[in-house]
Amino acid sequence: NYSHLNDLMSNSKGPKYNIVMQKTLHLDYTDIPLYSPIIKYVMDVGSLAPNISQPLINNLILSFLDLYLLNKPKKNFEHYLSNKLISNL
């Protein structure tokens, strides 16, 4: 589906972000890593501890929605984007 994502991103006229968090995999963006420390041995989760990844993911999402839905200042979103774990492609 990366080709579809690339098409979508290249054809979007509005603000767009392709954000990657280092040391995470697909299921890290759900609440699955919070259930048990053994989940990482049986499911597709990365090596980043959930107590680090989950707050960062939640803050990125909230600050993005605050910016684009509520017109709040961009500084909060930019603050989370500048985290060393984030790659903004």
Side-chain angles (χ1 to χ4, degrees):
N1 288 331
Y2 288 115
S3 64
H4 295 298
L5 174 62
N6 292 335
D7 288 343
L8 177 66
M9 295 291 282
S10 64
N11 289 308
S12 176
K13 304 224 185 301
K16 55 191 173 263
Y17 302 89
N18 187 0
I19 298 171
V20 176
M21 187 181 305
Q22 298 173 26
K23 302 180 184 178
T24 61
L25 296 173
H26 183 76
L27 292 178
D28 286 297
Y29 297 89
T30 70
D31 58 356
I32 287 175
L34 299 172
Y35 291 127
S36 168
I38 65 169
I39 291 292
K40 64 183 174 186
Y41 300 110
V42 295
M43 300 191 85
D44 193 24
V45 297
S47 61
L48 190 61
N51 64 324
I52 296 172
S53 63
Q54 291 297 318
L56 183 53
I57 292 166
N58 291 342
N59 286 320
L60 273 166
I61 293 168
L62 179 60
S63 61
F64 174 85
L65 294 174
D66 281 347
L67 173 63
Y68 289 103
L69 296 181
L70 301 177
N71 295 316
K72 288 189 176 182
K74 192 173 186 173
K75 66 180 180 175
N76 288 338
F77 184 55
E78 288 175 342
H79 168 74
Y80 295 112
L81 279 178
S82 68
N83 186 292
K84 66 182 178 183
L85 294 169
I86 300 298
S87 299
N88 186 2
L89 305 175

